[in-house]
Amino acid sequence: MKKLLITFIGLVLLVLAACGDSEESSGSEGNDSSGESYELEFGMQPNTQSNEYEAVEYLADYVEEESDGRLTVTIFPDAQLGNDLEMLGQLQDGSLDLTLSEMGRFAQWVPRAELLAVPYVIEDFDHIKRVVYETDFGEELRNELVEEHDLRVVDSGYNGTRVTSSSSEISELADMEGISLRVPEAQTLLDYAEYTGATPTPMAFSEVYLALQTGQVDGQENPLSAIRAQSFHEVQDYIALTNHVVNDNTYVVSEQTWQDLPEDLQQILADGIDAATDHHTELFQTEEEELIEFFEGEGVTITEPDLTEFREAVAEAYPNYYEKIGDGAEDYMEIIEGVRE
C-alpha cells in the first residue's frame, strides 16, 4: 500500500510538472512579438498633393509589404495634428509615432542645430547629409535628441533649395540693395535679407501673392516648388538662384515608439525610411529641373548670380549665432565647413 501511494504521488507530481512546463511555454509564446501587429501614425504639414505625402505613402507601402502586414502606417496630412513643432512635441510624449522636420528646427531643443539653417552654411543636400550622418557634430546631435528629447532622427530627404523671386533682375549682390523682400519670421531668413542689403519684410504666407501683385513688396524667397504652387511667377518677372538655404526633410520617430517595436520591425522601418528618403529626394530634384524649364516657358528670367559675394555678406551675421549657441560654436562651424566638397 505504501508503495502504491508513493507511486501515485510521483505520478501526480509528474503531471503537475508537465502542466507547469506547458503554461510556461504558453506564456513565453505570448511574449513573443513575432505575431503582433503595430499601427503607426505619421503626422505631417504638407497636403495630399505634395511630394512629401507621396514619399510618406511610399514608406507606408514599403513597411506593410515587407512586414507582411504586421507594421502599418496611417498618414495624417495637411497639419491635421498641428504644426511641425507641435507634432515633434507629440513624438516626445508618445502620442504620435512619426513626423517630418528640418534639422534646423531641432534648435528648439539643441541650439547648435540652428547652424544647419543659417544661410550659406550648407552648400547642397549632399553636404547636409554628410554633416548630419558622417561627422561627430551630427552624431552627437542625433544622440542628444534621442537620449534627452526622445526624438530619433532616422534619415533625411531633399526638400528643395530657397531662391529669390523679384520684380527686378538680381544678377549680383548689388541688385539686392534696397529691395523690399518678404521673409518669414525666422531669424536666419531675416538675416539673409538684411545682410544682402534688402529690406526684410515679414508677413503671413497667405498675404504674399497680393503683396507682390500690388508692389507692397518687391520680392520673396522660397523653394521653386513653393513659387509654382503659389503662382508667384504670375506677379514676378525674375527668379535668382540665390540658393541661400538648403531645405532637408528629416524622418523622425518617437523613441517610445522605436523601443516598443521588436528588432525585426525596427529594421523594416529603418529600411523603409531609407528607401522613402531616396524617393523623396528624387521627387524634389526632378521637380526642380522641370520647374526651371516651366518658369522660362512662362516668360520668367532665371539668373544665376555669383554666390561668393552673397556668402561673404551673410557671413557677417555668423558671430551672432556663435554668441547664441555659446562655447564650441565656432568649432561646430569648422566641422561643417570641413565636409564641403
Side-chain angles (χ1 to χ4, degrees):
M1 181 69 178
K2 189 173 181 181
K3 289 183 179 179
L4 287 174
L5 181 61
I6 292 171
T7 302
F8 176 75
I9 292 171
L11 288 171
V12 170
L13 290 175
L14 285 171
V15 170
L16 289 174
C19 289
D21 289 344
S22 175
E23 288 175 3
E24 186 176 337
S25 174
S26 175
S28 171
E29 288 175 5
N31 291 329
D32 184 356
S33 61
S34 62
E36 291 186 34
S37 296
Y38 298 81
E39 180 181 343
L40 307 185
E41 295 183 347
F42 198 126
M44 57 191 298
Q45 288 196 120
N47 61 34
T48 57
Q49 305 305 309
S50 64
N51 288 336
E52 293 94 330
Y53 184 82
E54 182 176 335
V56 174
E57 276 194 313
Y58 187 97
L59 167 64
D61 292 341
Y62 180 99
V63 299
E64 183 170 10
E65 181 177 347
E66 293 297 318
S67 69
D68 294 325
R70 290 172 52 221
L71 184 62
T72 57
V73 174
T74 301
I75 309 170
F76 294 87
D78 209 14
Q80 292 178 47
L81 304 181
N83 63 33
D84 56 347
L85 285 177
E86 290 169 338
M87 287 186 283
L88 286 169
Q90 292 163 31
L91 260 64
Q92 290 183 294
D93 65 28
S95 59
L96 182 64
D97 302 302
L98 300 106
T99 194
L100 299 171
S101 176
E102 296 174 5
M103 286 300 299
R105 277 305 227 174
F106 294 120
Q108 177 84 5
W109 297 277
V110 186
R112 64 184 180 277
E114 188 174 22
L115 289 174
L116 301 176
V118 175
Y120 296 112
V121 168
I122 297 298
E123 186 171 35
D124 54 26
F125 179 62
D126 287 340
H127 183 203
I128 197 169
K129 286 273 283 188
R130 287 194 297 274
V131 171
V132 174
Y133 300 102
E134 298 178 16
T135 68
D136 290 343
F137 170 85
E139 182 178 5
E140 291 169 7
L141 174 59
R142 288 182 287 112
N143 286 342
E144 186 170 338
L145 287 168
V146 169
E147 294 165 6
E148 298 187 20
H149 306 288
D150 285 333
L151 298 170
R152 177 174 288 270
V153 168
V154 179
D155 204 353
S156 303
Y158 175 59
N159 223 60
T161 298
R162 300 182 83 92
V163 299
T164 306
S165 71
S166 57
S167 55
S168 58
E169 184 170 330
I170 299 172
S171 57
E172 59 182 354
L173 181 65
D175 296 328
M176 296 286 290
E177 189 67 36
I179 70 169
S180 175
L181 190 69
R182 182 271 170 182
V183 290
E185 279 281 8
Q187 191 58 54
T188 54
L189 298 173
L190 290 165
D191 284 344
Y192 164 67
E194 179 180 348
Y195 282 84
T196 56
T199 302
T201 309
M203 68 173 59
F205 193 51
S206 60
E207 300 172 5
V208 177
Y209 184 94
L210 183 60
L212 294 170
Q213 186 178 44
T214 59
Q216 181 183 349
V217 293
D218 303 310
Q220 63 82 50
E221 57 75 52
N222 259 299
L224 292 171
S225 57
I227 295 173
R228 174 69 179 93
Q230 299 299 316
S231 301
F232 292 156
H233 62 284
E234 295 177 354
V235 289
Q236 299 268 264
D237 294 328
Y238 300 92
I239 295 175
L241 303 183
T242 48
N243 300 347
H244 46 284
V245 174
V246 177
N247 287 342
D248 65 300
N249 226 341
T250 294
Y251 288 56
V252 192
V253 182
S254 166
E255 184 61 10
Q256 294 181 45
T257 299
W258 183 263
Q259 294 302 332
D260 284 344
L261 293 174
E263 288 186 8
D264 62 324
L265 294 187
Q266 286 179 350
Q267 189 62 54
I268 287 173
L269 181 58
D271 291 344
I273 289 175
D274 183 58
T277 53
D278 286 346
H279 186 57
H280 192 132
T281 297
E282 183 180 359
L283 288 171
F284 272 91
Q285 289 177 336
T286 300
E287 182 182 53
E288 283 188 332
E289 293 171 4
E290 293 172 350
L291 283 173
I292 292 290
E293 295 181 12
F294 168 79
F295 289 132
E296 289 177 334
E298 292 291 303
V300 176
T301 299
I302 308 291
T303 62
E304 298 185 55
D306 180 1
L307 299 184
T308 302
E309 54 182 356
F310 281 75
R311 291 191 189 100
E312 291 173 351
V314 177
E316 296 295 320
Y318 292 176
N320 301 332
Y321 295 94
Y322 300 155
E323 184 177 352
K324 189 191 322 186
I325 293 166
D327 291 345
E330 292 185 66
D331 294 333
Y332 299 140
M333 184 69 91
E334 285 185 14
I335 293 173
I336 294 168
E337 289 289 329
V339 290
R340 279 179 179 266
E341 281 194 342

